[in-house]
Amino acid sequence: MKQLIGSVFVLVMGLFLWSLVPLLGPSAGYLSTYFTQHGVADNHTANLVTAVVVNYRGFDTLGEVLVLFASVSGATFVLRRRDGLPTAQPWPASEFLATGARALFAPLVVFGAYIFVHGHLTPGGGFQGGAVVASAVLMLLLVNRDRHLPHGLMTWLESLSGFGFVLTGLIGLAVGGSFLSNKGLMPLGEWNTLFSGGLIPIIYVLVGIKVGAELSALLDVMFHSTGDADHQEGQA
Amino acid sequence: MMLAIDFVVVAVIFVAAVGAMSCKNLVSSVLLGGLASLVASYLFLRMGAPDVAMTEAAIGAALTTVIFLVATRRTQEVEE
C-alpha cells in the first residue's frame, strides 16, 4: 500500500515537472532577456550570474542565507543537548592524513577567499567560496579531533556579515530607492576589473564569510556532538 | 566524443543513485550518493553553468558526504 501511494506521488510529481519542460529553453520570458541585455550596463559585472544572484535577485539570496542560518542553528541546538552519550575515543589521524591536511589547509582557505572575492569576475561566489573555506576547516577538524573552533569568533563573524548584508541593502534602499539597489552609492568601476560592480563584491564577500563560518560551525558541531561533561563546560 | 562521455556520465549517475538506494551498507550508500553528485557537477559544467557546477562539487559531493558519514558513525556509536 505504501509503495502504491509512493509511486502515485512520484507519477504526479513527474507530470507536474513534465508540464514545465516547454518553459525551458531560450525563450524563457522577458526577464532573462532583460538580464542578459542590461546586466553588464547596470552593474558592470563580468559574471552575469553574480549580477542576477546578488543584485536582481538579491532579496532571494538574503532568504537563502537566512535558511542556511536557521538550519545550522537548528542542528546546533539539537546536537548540543545530547548529554551522557557514550563518547568514542577518536582514532588519531594517520601521518599521511595529518601531513596532507596541514599542507592543504592554507591553499584551500586562500582558494575559497579567491572564489568569493572574484565572484563578480569569474564563476563562483559567496556560497561556493564559503563551502571551500569550510572544507579547509574540515581538514583541520579531521586531524585535530580534540580541538574546537573558537565559538565566540564564529558567532561574531556570522552576525557581523549577516548584519552587513542587511545594512548594505538598507543603504541601497535609502540611496538608490530599492532594497539592495546598486545605483549611486559606489562607482561601478571599469568592466572586468577587481574594483567593479559597485556593491556586488562587498555583498558577496560578506556572504562568503557568513557561509564559511556557518558551514564550519556545522562541521564542528557534527564532529563534537557526543558532548561529554568537560567539553560542555569548555564551550559554555 | 563529448556526447559519448555525457551518456556514460548519465549512466553513472543512474547506477550510483539506484545503488545508493538499494545498498544495505550505509557507508556505501553515502559514498555512491557523493559519486552521483560529483558526476552531476560535470554535467552542469557541460551545460554551461559553471557556478552551479562549483556548488554541486563543493557542497553536494564534498560537505554533504562528509556530514552524512559523520552522522552515520555517530548513530552507530549510539546503537552499539
Side-chain angles (χ1 to χ4, degrees), chain A residues 93-108 136 139-140 142-147:
Chain A
S94 67
E95 193 64 36
F96 194 62
L97 174 67
T99 314
R102 283 184 189 128
L104 272 176
F105 174 72
L108 270 177
M139 294 281 168
L140 218 58
L142 280 178
V143 178
N144 302 319
R145 298 295 294 275
D146 47 346
R147 284 178 62 182

Side-chain angles (χ1 to χ4, degrees), chain A residues 6-145:
Chain A
S7 1
V8 170
F9 184 74
V10 167
L11 202 70
V12 172
M13 283 299 284
L15 281 177
F16 274 127
L17 286 178
W18 186 250
S19 66
L20 288 177
V21 167
L23 292 177
L24 303 174
S27 63
Y30 68 97
L31 265 179
S32 53
T33 323
Y34 178 86
F35 291 155
T36 45
Q37 281 176 353
H38 299 263
V40 173
D42 282 354
N43 294 300
H44 288 216
T45 51
N47 184 7
L48 268 181
V49 177
T50 300
V52 174
V53 168
V54 181
N55 190 268
Y56 298 119
R57 293 277 180 264
F59 197 61
D60 301 17
T61 305
L62 184 61
E64 281 173 32
V65 171
L66 285 181
V67 166
L68 189 63
F69 174 70
S71 53
V72 172
S73 314
T76 315
F77 177 74
V78 170
L79 292 174
R80 277 269 184 267
R81 293 215 147 201
R82 291 272 183 278
D83 272 343
L85 284 184
T87 45
Q89 250 354 73
W91 290 356
S94 67
E95 193 64 36
F96 194 62
L97 174 67
T99 314
R102 283 184 189 128
L104 272 176
F105 174 72
L108 270 177
V109 171
V110 174
F111 182 53
Y114 167 83
I115 290 178
F116 62 69
V117 168
H118 289 242
H120 55 303
L121 304 175
T122 53
F127 289 96
Q128 293 89 337
V132 171
V133 170
S135 27
V137 173
L138 167 71
M139 294 281 168
L140 218 58
L141 286 172
L142 280 178
V143 178
N144 302 319
R145 298 295 294 275

Side-chain angles (χ1 to χ4, degrees), chain A residues 185-202:
Chain A
L185 189 64
M186 279 182 60
L188 287 179
E190 195 184 333
W191 181 78
N192 212 4
T193 54
L194 184 58
F195 293 99
S196 65
L199 286 174
I200 287 178
I202 297 176

Side-chain angles (χ1 to χ4, degrees), chain B residues 2 7 14 31 65 68 70 73:
Chain B
M2 293 300 275
F7 275 106
F14 185 77
L31 289 179
T65 310
F68 279 162
V70 174
R73 238 203 58 189

Side-chain angles (χ1 to χ4, degrees), chain B residues 31-49:
Chain B
L31 289 179
L32 281 172
L35 176 70
S37 274
L38 188 67
V39 179
S41 81
Y42 166 80
L43 275 190
F44 284 128
L45 192 66
R46 278 277 290 148
M47 288 186 280

